[in-house]
Amino acid sequence: MLSFVACSKDDIADEQDPVNQNPATGAPVETGQANTNYAPAFVGQTRVNSVQTTTPYQSTILNSSLSAPWGIVALPDGRFLVTEKVGNMRILTSTGTASAPITGFPTVNNSGQGGLLDVCVDPNFSTNRMVYWTYVRNVTGGTAIAVGKGRLSNNETVIENPVVIYASTTPASPTSNYGSRLMFDSTGNLLVTFGDRFSDNVRIEAQFASSSIGKVIRIDTNGNAAAGNPVISQPGARPEVFTMGHRNSQGLAIHPVTGDIWECEHGPRGGDELNRLQPGANYGWPVISYGIEYSGQPVGGGIQQQNGMQQPVYYWDPVVSPSGMTFYAGNKVPEWQNNLFLCSLTQTHIIRLVIQNNQVTGEERLLVGEGQRFRDIIQGADNALYAITDAGRFYRIDRQ
């Protein structure tokens, strides 16, 4: 077990000092050259000033031998359930001890960005032991995302009676941009993200309400469209569509005070986004974007705003490749209260965002020196943050 400590210069400050609700800000944390010269739509939409955590905190590596973990969820008893892309799950204790692989899952295609991806547990898991997951499977025409569910056996070794409750509408040959974040909302329904699958001839379906491509969908635990979903006025609109116009959504989180649903997604070269989801809203991809194609050409018409399409609350250029995210609702580090923590893959750190009145007002980079592609982050029952990385590490982040 390895530990790393990060402290401010003011380590000797009284631990009972009140939280500074309006922390002093410094220069933006991003100093790299942007891919574009696009102007933001409003002040504070990108490269806000930095904040610095003043409470001494510590990160501890609890386990470093996981196999390409992708999703993690807290269990009611304080342990964790984590996916491994190869096609199984493990249970982790809060000290990092891992169980043997849990088996019984359908065959996955784990090439590229595929595999067994996200996981969540039923709100009534303590009594029904139901687990839900997303995974990539082979289908005619390529690969596609599916949502499965099954019961974790009493001895915690196998998933019993696994079934597919929902499947992507469109297969594609690229093995990337699956999206695939999964969580329960406050009403007991599932929110699931579906990426644009990277292909030029498929990604345009992000604008078609008749397709699951480039969408956040909302379904019940049997895979049916959830009650109360928005009605989208497009021919053939699927009733499970919650929002549309997304590229590659890998983060979902619910604000602990407002109950708003927040989402993050990868842009191409530049244009990673943070969005506050509004039912039925269109977030623009691939019509509007703050990024450019990997070739260097503009995306579509090279526009960033269009009537009827939502602006991101925040965007990054160059990219950070945001993945799993969570709001901090603990009390160990008071200045983190209601802050959003996001995993960064390409820039290998954890992002802390201060959000006030639905606007980002400060940004910080944590665990920069670890050199890890952080994949997912959650809050545990002990109010600490727990994160997993592509290289197989399991971190605990908490007050020192």
Side-chain angles (χ1 to χ4, degrees):
M1 181 183 296
L2 300 176
S3 296
F4 299 87
V5 177
C7 304
S8 74
K9 296 178 181 178
D10 190 21
D11 286 348
I12 61 174
D14 184 348
E15 289 190 355
Q16 302 305 313
D17 281 350
V19 179
N20 184 353
Q21 297 299 325
N22 295 290
T25 56
V29 294
E30 182 57 73
T31 59
Q33 183 176 354
N35 290 281
T36 76
N37 59 1
Y38 297 152
F42 52 85
V43 175
Q45 195 180 20
T46 191
R47 298 199 185 210
V48 297
N49 289 337
S50 62
V51 293
Q52 183 178 12
T53 300
T54 59
T55 303
Y57 67 92
Q58 176 174 272
S59 67
T60 303
I61 302 173
L62 302 176
N63 189 306
S64 58
S65 60
L66 299 174
S67 177
W70 205 95
I72 184 170
V73 66
L75 295 172
D77 62 5
R79 296 180 300 162
F80 304 91
L81 191 59
V82 62
T83 63
E84 293 180 318
K85 282 176 82 267
V86 68
N88 58 255
M89 297 186 194
R90 295 178 189 267
I91 292 175
L92 293 171
T93 69
S94 59
T95 58
T97 301
S99 73
I102 299 168
T103 60
F105 295 96
T107 301
V108 306
N109 182 321
N110 68 342
S111 59
Q113 296 175 12
L116 184 61
L117 300 179
D118 207 12
V119 58
C120 66
V121 296
D122 196 281
N124 297 313
F125 177 83
S126 296
T127 55
N128 65 22
R129 303 187 64 80
M130 293 303 297
V131 178
Y132 301 79
W133 63 88
T134 58
Y135 72 106
V136 175
R137 62 179 183 171
N138 294 321
V139 296
T140 302
T143 59
I145 281 287
V147 182
K149 75 172 182 179
R151 182 183 184 275
L152 179 63
S153 64
N154 291 341
N155 64 7
E156 300 181 336
T157 63
V158 65
I159 289 291
E160 299 171 340
N161 303 316
V163 294
V164 171
I165 62 170
Y166 187 87
S168 173
T169 58
T170 307
S173 56
T175 57
S176 59
N177 289 24
Y178 289 112
S180 206
R181 198 55 71 183
L182 170 77
M183 77 172 186
F184 274 94
D185 68 11
S186 60
T187 67
N189 290 297
L190 286 162
L191 293 163
V192 194
T193 71
F194 287 81
D196 75 341
R197 297 303 311 277
F198 193 80
S199 172
D200 287 348
N201 65 334
V202 173
R203 72 182 191 182
I204 190 59
E205 291 187 22
Q207 288 298 311
F208 301 162
S210 57
S211 167
S212 64
I213 292 293
K215 306 296 188 303
V216 177
I217 68 162
R218 182 169 172 265
I219 55 177
D220 64 22
T221 54
N222 293 316
N224 303 309
N229 275 356
V231 177
I232 298 175
S233 57
Q234 271 193 22
R238 301 183 69 88
E240 66 268 26
V241 172
F242 187 70
T243 58
M244 57 191 294
H246 301 289
R247 185 174 182 269
N248 187 18
S249 304
Q250 290 196 13
L252 284 173
I254 296 178
H255 194 286
V257 175
T258 67
D260 289 339
I261 301 166
W262 291 70
E263 171 264 2
C264 67
E265 63 188 76
H266 297 191
R269 287 176 57 185
D272 289 347
E273 293 184 3
L274 173 68
N275 294 297
R276 186 169 67 94
L277 299 185
Q278 303 294 311
N282 184 340
Y283 290 82
W285 179 260
V287 178
I288 62 174
S289 175
Y290 283 95
I292 57 176
E293 302 281 13
Y294 293 108
S295 65
Q297 296 300 307
V299 174
I303 60 174
Q304 293 73 58
Q305 301 177 46
Q306 180 163 301
N307 289 339
M309 295 182 176
Q310 297 292 313
Q311 283 290 303
V313 172
Y314 197 66
Y315 73 86
W316 292 266
D317 183 10
V319 299
V320 294
S321 302
S323 189
M325 66 186 198
T326 192
F327 283 96
Y328 183 77
N331 53 18
K332 297 285 195 68
V333 185
E335 63 201 285
W336 288 357
Q337 190 74 32
N338 302 325
N339 289 180
L340 183 61
F341 290 80
L342 306 91
C343 292
S344 170
L345 296 167
T346 55
Q347 293 207 27
T348 62
H349 60 265
I350 291 174
I351 303 163
R352 171 194 169 210
L353 295 180
V354 180
I355 298 175
Q356 297 176 326
N357 299 319
N358 297 325
Q359 184 173 0
V360 176
T361 59
E363 182 173 5
E364 183 177 15
R365 293 179 172 180
L366 309 176
L367 278 65
V368 175
E370 297 299 285
Q372 295 287 302
R373 286 171 55 88
F374 287 93
R375 177 62 66 176
D376 200 8
I377 186 168
I378 61 170
Q379 184 174 315
D382 59 355
N383 288 335
L385 295 174
Y386 290 85
I388 53 175
T389 74
D390 282 2
R393 289 185 180 180
F394 175 45
Y395 283 84
R396 183 177 188 270
I397 307 162
D398 198 9
R399 189 185 185 108
Q400 184 183 340

